[in-house]
Amino acid sequence: MKTWVFIPAYRPRLGQLRRCLSSARWPAEKVVVVSNGASDERLGVYDVPQGVQIYQDPQDDINISRWWAIGMTAAIHNGATEVLLLNTDAQISRRGIQTLGEALYELDVSVCGPDYRGVCKDPNFPLLNSPKINRSRSQIPWTHRVPGFCMMVRVEDAISDYYQIYPDEEMRWWYSDDDIEWQAREARGTALIPGVEVRHPPAGGTLLDETLGRWAQEDLAKFVAKWGSEPCLPAT
């Protein structure tokens, strides 16, 4: 395996980025960071460990799908066989990254992520945890989705003429991860992997201003137009 880590980041979140990189302890030469194109937010070479590749988004607007596409393309061009899409506010260990990469092939899925909300636990057998695999393109409880802040993508399914799992730049803010997950379910499927610890702020930790809130609603409309439904079942 040749696993690369990709992180979208910009300078105001430099502290988060450094904590993210420190927890992962991934070889710097296999880490790609895409920085926001706005001149006052760009990362510099001294902001990250030596060896980390920084790519600047040539455009200065906010589009996380485009940042993901830039990062994935860079990793793929460097020979990656798996790419971990990791947010700056997420922290995962080196062993956790390795476990997710191995799970792609052991379970023969296109995308996997940590069982962040514990849905893989069997209430009748609490010591028995099994991966939760999803190969159905349909709504699921939001707790069962692969967490968008930590998604491992199988590169051969991103560049395949048949699958082509890739970020849709029409969705620029909120539903890009759901779109990737649904693409993956149409391919080999997705999986939640128990036993992989990841730290991340609780749901609702991302604050939306008026503009980002409007974009989120626009992205949801694009998702529904593309797939025929919202990504998750209504909360009960």
Side-chain angles (χ1 to χ4, degrees):
M1 298 193 309
K2 296 180 181 178
T3 305
W4 280 61
V5 174
F6 158 64
I7 307 169
Y10 49 99
R11 210 167 198 285
R13 293 189 176 182
L14 185 56
Q16 286 184 338
L17 174 62
R18 287 174 172 167
R19 288 190 293 273
C20 177
L21 291 170
S22 177
S23 67
R25 294 190 296 112
W26 204 248
E29 66 275 11
K30 293 184 179 179
V31 177
V32 173
V33 174
V34 172
S35 178
N36 188 355
S39 59
D40 60 339
E41 298 181 343
R42 291 179 182 171
L43 291 167
V45 293
Y46 297 109
D47 291 329
V48 297
Q50 184 176 3
V52 171
Q53 298 186 41
I54 298 178
Y55 286 77
Q56 303 289 354
D57 183 353
Q59 304 180 54
D60 63 3
D61 62 321
I62 294 176
N63 187 320
I64 195 170
S65 295
R66 187 172 64 241
W67 300 343
W68 282 354
I70 293 171
M72 284 183 63
T73 299
I76 290 169
H77 285 173
N78 280 280
T81 54
E82 311 84 34
V83 179
L84 179 67
L85 308 182
L86 188 63
N87 282 7
T88 54
D89 57 357
Q91 297 179 36
I92 184 173
S93 69
R94 182 185 182 116
R95 182 55 194 152
I97 296 173
Q98 293 170 333
T99 298
L100 292 179
E102 293 165 357
L104 287 176
Y105 305 100
E106 292 174 358
L107 302 174
D108 193 27
V109 294
S110 299
V111 166
C112 68
D115 179 25
Y116 178 65
R117 297 180 179 87
V119 300
C120 294
K121 294 180 180 179
D122 188 325
N124 298 314
F125 302 95
L127 298 181
L128 181 61
N129 298 333
S130 299
K132 190 170 190 64
I133 299 174
N134 190 343
R135 293 190 169 95
S136 171
R137 196 193 76 180
S138 60
Q139 289 180 306
I140 58 174
W142 71 272
T143 54
H144 291 201
R145 61 192 291 272
V146 175
F149 55 81
C150 185
M151 303 179 76
M152 184 72 77
V153 180
R154 188 167 173 166
V155 165
E156 65 179 295
D157 293 347
I159 61 177
S160 163
D161 291 336
Y162 185 71
Y163 295 132
Q164 293 186 327
I165 299 171
Y166 225 67
D168 184 344
E169 295 182 29
E170 290 295 314
M171 300 176 198
R172 53 187 170 180
W173 179 246
W174 200 258
Y175 289 88
S176 308
D177 50 350
D178 294 289
D179 181 66
I180 288 178
E181 181 173 4
W182 279 50
Q183 291 180 53
R185 289 191 218 158
E186 280 203 323
R188 301 176 196 269
T190 65
L192 292 176
I193 311 303
V196 176
E197 294 187 9
V198 60
R199 296 180 62 187
H200 186 262
T206 301
L207 299 178
L208 299 180
D209 59 24
E210 182 179 352
T211 299
L212 295 181
R214 185 178 72 253
W215 287 1
Q217 291 303 311
E218 292 173 356
D219 289 348
L220 175 59
K222 293 172 184 175
F223 184 97
V224 172
K226 182 176 182 177
W227 296 105
S229 71
E230 294 190 8
C232 299
L233 292 168
T236 57

Short mmCIF file of all heavy atoms in Angstrom, two decimals, residues 119-145:
data_model
loop_
_atom_site.label_atom_id
_atom_site.label_comp_id
_atom_site.label_asym_id
_atom_site.label_seq_id
_atom_site.Cartn_x
_atom_site.Cartn_y
_atom_site.Cartn_z
N VAL A 119 -21.62 2.49 15.93
CA VAL A 119 -22.76 1.72 15.40
C VAL A 119 -22.37 0.27 15.10
O VAL A 119 -23.25 -0.56 14.84
CB VAL A 119 -23.34 2.38 14.13
CG1 VAL A 119 -23.81 3.78 14.43
CG2 VAL A 119 -22.32 2.38 13.00
N CYS A 120 -21.08 -0.04 15.13
CA CYS A 120 -20.65 -1.41 14.84
C CYS A 120 -20.75 -2.33 16.06
O CYS A 120 -20.55 -3.54 15.95
CB CYS A 120 -19.21 -1.43 14.34
SG CYS A 120 -18.96 -0.62 12.74
N LYS A 121 -21.06 -1.77 17.21
CA LYS A 121 -21.14 -2.57 18.42
C LYS A 121 -22.43 -3.38 18.44
O LYS A 121 -23.51 -2.87 18.14
CB LYS A 121 -21.08 -1.68 19.66
CG LYS A 121 -19.73 -0.97 19.83
CD LYS A 121 -19.73 -0.10 21.08
CE LYS A 121 -18.39 0.61 21.23
NZ LYS A 121 -18.38 1.49 22.43
N ASP A 122 -22.32 -4.65 18.79
CA ASP A 122 -23.48 -5.52 18.92
C ASP A 122 -23.98 -5.43 20.37
O ASP A 122 -23.25 -5.80 21.29
CB ASP A 122 -23.10 -6.96 18.58
CG ASP A 122 -24.30 -7.88 18.51
OD1 ASP A 122 -25.25 -7.68 19.29
OD2 ASP A 122 -24.27 -8.81 17.67
N PRO A 123 -25.21 -4.94 20.58
CA PRO A 123 -25.70 -4.78 21.96
C PRO A 123 -25.79 -6.11 22.71
O PRO A 123 -25.71 -6.13 23.94
CB PRO A 123 -27.08 -4.15 21.79
CG PRO A 123 -27.49 -4.49 20.38
CD PRO A 123 -26.21 -4.53 19.59
N ASN A 124 -25.94 -7.21 21.98
CA ASN A 124 -26.04 -8.52 22.63
C ASN A 124 -24.68 -9.12 22.92
O ASN A 124 -24.52 -9.96 23.81
CB ASN A 124 -26.85 -9.48 21.75
CG ASN A 124 -28.28 -9.00 21.55
OD1 ASN A 124 -28.94 -8.60 22.50
ND2 ASN A 124 -28.74 -9.03 20.30
N PHE A 125 -23.69 -8.69 22.15
CA PHE A 125 -22.32 -9.18 22.32
C PHE A 125 -21.37 -7.98 22.30
O PHE A 125 -20.74 -7.70 21.28
CB PHE A 125 -21.95 -10.18 21.22
CG PHE A 125 -22.86 -11.36 21.14
CD1 PHE A 125 -23.95 -11.37 20.26
CD2 PHE A 125 -22.67 -12.47 21.96
CE1 PHE A 125 -24.79 -12.46 20.18
CE2 PHE A 125 -23.52 -13.57 21.88
CZ PHE A 125 -24.58 -13.56 20.99
N PRO A 126 -21.30 -7.24 23.40
CA PRO A 126 -20.56 -5.96 23.41
C PRO A 126 -19.08 -6.09 23.08
O PRO A 126 -18.46 -5.10 22.69
CB PRO A 126 -20.77 -5.46 24.85
CG PRO A 126 -21.19 -6.65 25.63
CD PRO A 126 -21.92 -7.55 24.70
N LEU A 127 -18.51 -7.26 23.21
CA LEU A 127 -17.10 -7.43 22.88
C LEU A 127 -16.89 -7.82 21.42
O LEU A 127 -15.75 -7.94 20.96
CB LEU A 127 -16.46 -8.50 23.79
CG LEU A 127 -16.46 -8.18 25.29
CD1 LEU A 127 -15.80 -9.30 26.07
CD2 LEU A 127 -15.76 -6.87 25.56
N LEU A 128 -18.00 -8.03 20.71
CA LEU A 128 -17.91 -8.44 19.31
C LEU A 128 -18.28 -7.25 18.42
O LEU A 128 -19.43 -6.87 18.32
CB LEU A 128 -18.86 -9.62 19.03
CG LEU A 128 -18.85 -10.18 17.60
CD1 LEU A 128 -17.47 -10.70 17.24
CD2 LEU A 128 -19.90 -11.28 17.44
N ASN A 129 -17.27 -6.69 17.78
CA ASN A 129 -17.49 -5.55 16.88
C ASN A 129 -17.13 -5.96 15.46
O ASN A 129 -16.02 -6.44 15.21
CB ASN A 129 -16.64 -4.35 17.29
CG ASN A 129 -16.99 -3.85 18.68
OD1 ASN A 129 -18.11 -4.02 19.14
ND2 ASN A 129 -16.04 -3.23 19.35
N SER A 130 -18.05 -5.77 14.53
CA SER A 130 -17.81 -6.13 13.14
C SER A 130 -17.97 -4.89 12.26
O SER A 130 -18.81 -4.02 12.55
CB SER A 130 -18.80 -7.21 12.69
OG SER A 130 -18.66 -8.37 13.47
N PRO A 131 -17.20 -4.79 11.19
CA PRO A 131 -17.36 -3.64 10.28
C PRO A 131 -18.78 -3.58 9.73
O PRO A 131 -19.43 -4.61 9.53
CB PRO A 131 -16.34 -3.94 9.16
CG PRO A 131 -15.36 -4.87 9.78
CD PRO A 131 -16.13 -5.70 10.76
N LYS A 132 -19.26 -2.37 9.50
CA LYS A 132 -20.59 -2.20 8.93
C LYS A 132 -20.41 -1.80 7.48
O LYS A 132 -19.92 -0.70 7.17
CB LYS A 132 -21.37 -1.13 9.69
CG LYS A 132 -22.84 -1.07 9.30
CD LYS A 132 -23.62 -0.17 10.24
CE LYS A 132 -25.12 -0.30 9.99
NZ LYS A 132 -25.63 -1.65 10.29
N ILE A 133 -20.82 -2.68 6.57
CA ILE A 133 -20.63 -2.46 5.13
C ILE A 133 -21.95 -2.02 4.51
O ILE A 133 -23.01 -2.53 4.85
CB ILE A 133 -20.12 -3.76 4.46
CG1 ILE A 133 -18.78 -4.17 5.05
CG2 ILE A 133 -20.00 -3.57 2.94
CD1 ILE A 133 -18.26 -5.50 4.56
N ASN A 134 -21.86 -1.07 3.61
CA ASN A 134 -23.05 -0.55 2.94
C ASN A 134 -22.80 -0.52 1.43
O ASN A 134 -21.91 0.19 0.96
CB ASN A 134 -23.38 0.86 3.45
CG ASN A 134 -24.73 1.35 2.97
OD1 ASN A 134 -25.30 0.80 2.02
ND2 ASN A 134 -25.25 2.37 3.60
N ARG A 135 -23.57 -1.29 0.70
CA ARG A 135 -23.45 -1.30 -0.76
C ARG A 135 -24.77 -0.90 -1.42
O ARG A 135 -25.01 -1.20 -2.58
CB ARG A 135 -23.01 -2.68 -1.25
CG ARG A 135 -21.58 -3.04 -0.82
CD ARG A 135 -21.07 -4.30 -1.51
NE ARG A 135 -19.65 -4.49 -1.32
CZ ARG A 135 -19.11 -5.23 -0.37
NH1 ARG A 135 -19.89 -5.89 0.49
NH2 ARG A 135 -17.80 -5.34 -0.26
N SER A 136 -25.60 -0.18 -0.67
CA SER A 136 -26.91 0.24 -1.18
C SER A 136 -26.93 1.74 -1.35
O SER A 136 -26.57 2.50 -0.44
CB SER A 136 -28.01 -0.19 -0.20
OG SER A 136 -29.25 0.37 -0.57
N ARG A 137 -27.38 2.19 -2.52
CA ARG A 137 -27.52 3.62 -2.76
C ARG A 137 -28.90 4.05 -2.28
O ARG A 137 -29.86 4.12 -3.03
CB ARG A 137 -27.36 3.92 -4.25
CG ARG A 137 -27.12 5.40 -4.55
CD ARG A 137 -27.29 5.69 -6.01
NE ARG A 137 -28.71 5.72 -6.38
CZ ARG A 137 -29.16 5.96 -7.60
NH1 ARG A 137 -28.31 6.12 -8.59
NH2 ARG A 137 -30.45 5.99 -7.86
N SER A 138 -28.99 4.30 -0.98
CA SER A 138 -30.26 4.67 -0.38
C SER A 138 -30.00 5.41 0.92
O SER A 138 -28.88 5.42 1.43
CB SER A 138 -31.14 3.44 -0.12
OG SER A 138 -30.47 2.55 0.77
N GLN A 139 -31.04 6.05 1.46
CA GLN A 139 -30.89 6.78 2.70
C GLN A 139 -30.57 5.84 3.86
O GLN A 139 -31.08 4.71 3.92
CB GLN A 139 -32.17 7.55 3.01
CG GLN A 139 -32.43 8.74 2.11
CD GLN A 139 -33.71 9.45 2.48
OE1 GLN A 139 -34.77 8.82 2.55
NE2 GLN A 139 -33.63 10.75 2.72
N ILE A 140 -29.73 6.31 4.76
CA ILE A 140 -29.38 5.57 5.96
C ILE A 140 -29.43 6.53 7.14
O ILE A 140 -29.44 7.75 6.95
CB ILE A 140 -27.98 4.94 5.87
CG1 ILE A 140 -26.93 6.05 5.63
CG2 ILE A 140 -27.91 3.89 4.77
CD1 ILE A 140 -25.50 5.56 5.67
N PRO A 141 -29.48 6.02 8.37
CA PRO A 141 -29.38 6.93 9.52
C PRO A 141 -28.06 7.71 9.45
O PRO A 141 -27.04 7.17 9.05
CB PRO A 141 -29.40 5.98 10.72
CG PRO A 141 -30.09 4.74 10.22
CD PRO A 141 -29.68 4.61 8.78
N TRP A 142 -28.10 8.99 9.84
CA TRP A 142 -26.90 9.81 9.70
C TRP A 142 -25.75 9.26 10.53
O TRP A 142 -24.57 9.48 10.19
CB TRP A 142 -27.21 11.26 10.09
CG TRP A 142 -27.44 11.48 11.56
CD1 TRP A 142 -28.61 11.38 12.22
CD2 TRP A 142 -26.46 11.87 12.52
NE1 TRP A 142 -28.43 11.66 13.56
CE2 TRP A 142 -27.12 11.97 13.77
CE3 TRP A 142 -25.09 12.13 12.47
CZ2 TRP A 142 -26.45 12.31 14.95
CZ3 TRP A 142 -24.43 12.48 13.65
CH2 TRP A 142 -25.11 12.57 14.87
N THR A 143 -26.05 8.52 11.58
CA THR A 143 -24.99 7.94 12.41
C THR A 143 -24.24 6.82 11.69
O THR A 143 -23.17 6.42 12.12
CB THR A 143 -25.57 7.40 13.72
OG1 THR A 143 -26.64 6.49 13.41
CG2 THR A 143 -26.10 8.52 14.59
N HIS A 144 -24.82 6.30 10.61
CA HIS A 144 -24.21 5.17 9.90
C HIS A 144 -23.35 5.61 8.71
O HIS A 144 -22.77 4.76 8.04
CB HIS A 144 -25.30 4.21 9.41
CG HIS A 144 -25.99 3.48 10.51
ND1 HIS A 144 -26.67 2.29 10.32
CD2 HIS A 144 -26.13 3.75 11.83
CE1 HIS A 144 -27.18 1.87 11.46
NE2 HIS A 144 -26.87 2.74 12.40
N ARG A 145 -23.31 6.89 8.43
CA ARG A 145 -22.53 7.35 7.28
C ARG A 145 -21.04 7.39 7.62
O ARG A 145 -20.67 7.54 8.78
CB ARG A 145 -23.01 8.72 6.83
CG ARG A 145 -22.87 9.80 7.87
CD ARG A 145 -23.61 11.07 7.50
NE ARG A 145 -22.97 11.73 6.39
CZ ARG A 145 -21.98 12.61 6.54
NH1 ARG A 145 -21.52 12.91 7.75
NH2 ARG A 145 -21.46 13.20 5.48
#
